[in-house]
Amino acid sequence: MKSFYLYNNRVEIVKNDGSIFTIYFNENSGKVYFRYKIGTFSNVKHSGIFLGVDTWGIGYFLHNHYHFGKAQITTETEFKKGQPIYIYNEMCSNAPLKVIEVGLNEILKGESYKLITYNCQTYTNTACHNQRKSYDAEKW
């Protein structure tokens, strides 16, 4: 992603090749969801922010994952990895549009994934609450 244009009902993502990809917001946009990490015994939550849907109805999430090495936009299918997803019960300090804006700006920064200091939960808490915090990392 090279840049983005944020509107009340959509975001236009400018890809690295200069093309524009539009994602439309709905009632779930800006909400934080999670699935349990695959292959762990400790019920670690992998969190992400629902972004919206494209013209074909495909859902997109913002999330930070070690597999990609930094935060990115991914499809709902890729985020779920065949697992059920759940919404976090807590309310974000930021409004949904601000959560999306902060999340997209974090992607543009390109900070590398770090297991303890910049993981999926740190990413979503930065967008949701303006705090770099990971509840599961703090347990360790």
Side-chain angles (χ1 to χ4, degrees), residues 14-72:
V14 181
K15 296 181 178 183
N16 291 333
D17 66 3
S19 64
I20 294 178
F21 181 63
T22 303
I23 298 175
Y24 300 92
F25 301 146
N26 63 27
E27 67 278 358
N28 296 316
S29 296
K31 292 181 181 177
V32 178
Y33 287 79
F34 73 93
R35 65 167 168 77
Y36 290 104
K37 287 198 178 221
I38 300 167
T40 65
F41 299 106
S42 58
N43 286 332
V44 173
K45 294 176 180 177
H46 175 66
S47 58
I49 300 161
F50 185 75
L51 183 56
V53 297
D54 64 17
T55 56
W56 298 277
I58 297 170
Y60 290 87
F61 274 82
L62 307 172
H63 76 124
N64 192 12
H65 195 274
Y66 74 90
H67 179 73
F68 301 108
K70 61 183 179 178
Q72 68 167 21

Side-chain angles (χ1 to χ4, degrees), residues 85-129:
I85 61 171
Y86 309 93
I87 191 161
Y88 265 101
N89 289 328
E90 67 183 63
M91 295 290 294
C92 287
S93 302
N94 289 328
L97 199 58
K98 186 67 174 177
V99 171
I100 291 168
E101 180 183 14
V102 172
L104 290 169
N105 279 321
E106 286 292 308
I107 290 174
L108 287 176
K109 285 182 189 175
E111 183 174 347
S112 295
Y113 179 95
K114 296 175 190 77
L115 182 62
I116 304 297
T117 59
Y118 194 63
N119 57 38
C120 58
Q121 293 176 10
T122 309
Y123 171 76
T124 55
N125 279 319
T126 299
C128 188
H129 298 295

Side-chain angles (χ1 to χ4, degrees), residues 124-139:
T124 55
N125 279 319
T126 299
C128 188
H129 298 295
N130 305 307
Q131 294 180 344
R132 289 179 67 113
K133 186 173 189 158
S134 172
Y135 301 110
D136 285 330
E138 288 175 2
K139 290 178 192 175

